[in-house]
Amino acid sequence: DIVLTQSPVLAVSLGQRATISCRASQSVSISSINLMHWYQQKPGQQPKLLIYRASNLASGIPARFSGSGSGTDFTLTIDPVQADDIAAYYCQQSRESPFTFGSGTKLEIK
Amino acid sequence: EVQLQESGPGLVKPSQSLSLTCSVTGYSITSNYWGWIRKFPGNKMEWMGYISYSGSTSYNPSLKSRISITRDTSKNQFFLQLNSVTTEDTATYYCARYMPRPLYYFDYWGQGVMVTVSS
């Protein structure tokens, strides 16, 4: 299985940039298609798709969220961070079955 | 709008079967793929499997001998059955729509149902 590694916690100040990373144990890209996605989950809620295929903003998601990366290294950026962004963020790969998720990064406010 | 809602017992005894229903409104399950994902205490998430628009299935090999995903297209519902559960199956279970190529993501999710396995 492809293992996705995320840092457990990231603390940032409101109005600053948050950079959340996800590293895959093997490439999750096929040709130029990066099969990595990002989800936000707030306590008591279901996950919400933020970024698909590494860099595409999902419908209704504010432009302060962005994604980048290819191969094995991916980044979710939130700039500027707002209070409403306090949540856990998960990466997920669909390069091969079984689909796998990262362990999540909890975004906290300094 | 696409909406998914899980339902089922919140408590299951060890060695029994866990059965959940996902009711979908606003979209036909005869299109795209429909999956089950669970989140364990401690926040690890696991994709369990999906059923396609045609009724074919794909399962996580870690569960392959215990899992079955079926559907009732007349009710626009799909189902999860997990056999021989243990306390390790205690989790919040989500159903979600999976968009296949060229998208490859889970876009609509249910609110989740917490299932505890305990005697």
Side-chain angles (χ1 to χ4, degrees), chain B residues 34-99:
Chain B
W34 304 88
W36 289 96
I37 298 123
R38 60 182 178 176
K39 184 178 179 183
F40 299 100
N43 299 326
K44 177 187 172 184
M45 293 184 69
E46 179 181 62
W47 170 73
M48 301 180 72
Y50 62 57
I51 187 165
S52 78
Y53 56 91
S54 66
S56 63
T57 55
S58 178
Y59 301 132
N60 192 318
S62 68
L63 300 167
K64 201 159 191 178
S65 61
R66 298 197 293 136
I67 188 174
S68 177
I69 299 176
T70 57
R71 65 179 185 170
D72 183 338
T73 57
S74 68
K75 295 182 179 179
N76 218 37
Q77 295 175 327
F78 63 105
F79 312 101
L80 171 70
Q81 181 169 316
L82 188 65
N83 299 322
S84 305
V85 299
T86 71
T87 55
E88 310 263 302
D89 294 307
T90 293
T92 298
Y93 288 76
Y94 297 96
C95 57
R97 185 177 78 170
Y98 176 67
M99 299 295 282

Side-chain angles (χ1 to χ4, degrees), chain A residues 1 30 33 35 37 39 41 44-49 52-53 88 90 92 94 97-103, chain B residues 37 39 42-47 50 58-62 94 98 102-107 109-112:
Chain A
D1 298 3
I30 302 176
I33 303 174
L35 296 173
H37 320 292
Y39 301 85
Q41 187 173 31
Q45 296 185 17
Q46 67 269 56
K48 177 195 291 187
L49 178 68
Y52 65 94
R53 288 191 355 217
Y90 295 87
Q92 178 253 319
S94 45
S97 182
F99 303 147
T100 51
F101 291 81
S103 53
Chain B
I37 298 123
K39 184 178 179 183
N43 299 326
K44 177 187 172 184
M45 293 184 69
E46 179 181 62
W47 170 73
Y50 62 57
S58 178
Y59 301 132
N60 192 318
S62 68
Y94 297 96
Y98 176 67
L103 299 173
Y104 298 97
Y105 53 66
F106 294 97
D107 57 353
W109 297 62
Q111 298 229 325

Side-chain angles (χ1 to χ4, degrees), chain A:
Chain A
D1 298 3
I2 296 177
V3 176
L4 303 180
T5 301
Q6 296 182 248
S7 297
V9 178
L10 177 66
V12 298
S13 301
L14 291 176
Q16 298 302 302
R17 173 184 297 180
T19 303
I20 298 171
S21 63
C22 176
R23 174 163 287 178
S25 60
Q26 63 191 77
S27 176
V28 298
S29 303
I30 302 176
S31 300
S32 60
I33 303 174
N34 301 301
L35 296 173
M36 182 69 80
H37 320 292
W38 290 94
Y39 301 85
Q40 176 194 65
Q41 187 173 31
K42 297 180 179 180
Q45 296 185 17
Q46 67 269 56
K48 177 195 291 187
L49 178 68
L50 295 177
I51 300 287
Y52 65 94
R53 288 191 355 217
S55 59
N56 297 277
L57 200 63
S59 177
I61 302 302
R64 53 200 178 76
F65 291 90
S66 62
S68 63
S70 64
T72 61
D73 291 296
F74 296 87
T75 300
L76 171 69
T77 301
I78 311 170
D79 189 12
V81 169
Q82 298 185 359
D84 187 52
D85 300 333
I86 301 309
Y89 294 85
Y90 295 87
C91 54
Q92 178 253 319
Q93 66 81 21
S94 45
R95 169 62 178 84
E96 65 178 40
S97 182
F99 303 147
T100 51
F101 291 81
S103 53
T105 297
K106 187 176 178 182
L107 184 65
E108 296 181 346
I109 300 300
K110 276 185 186 175

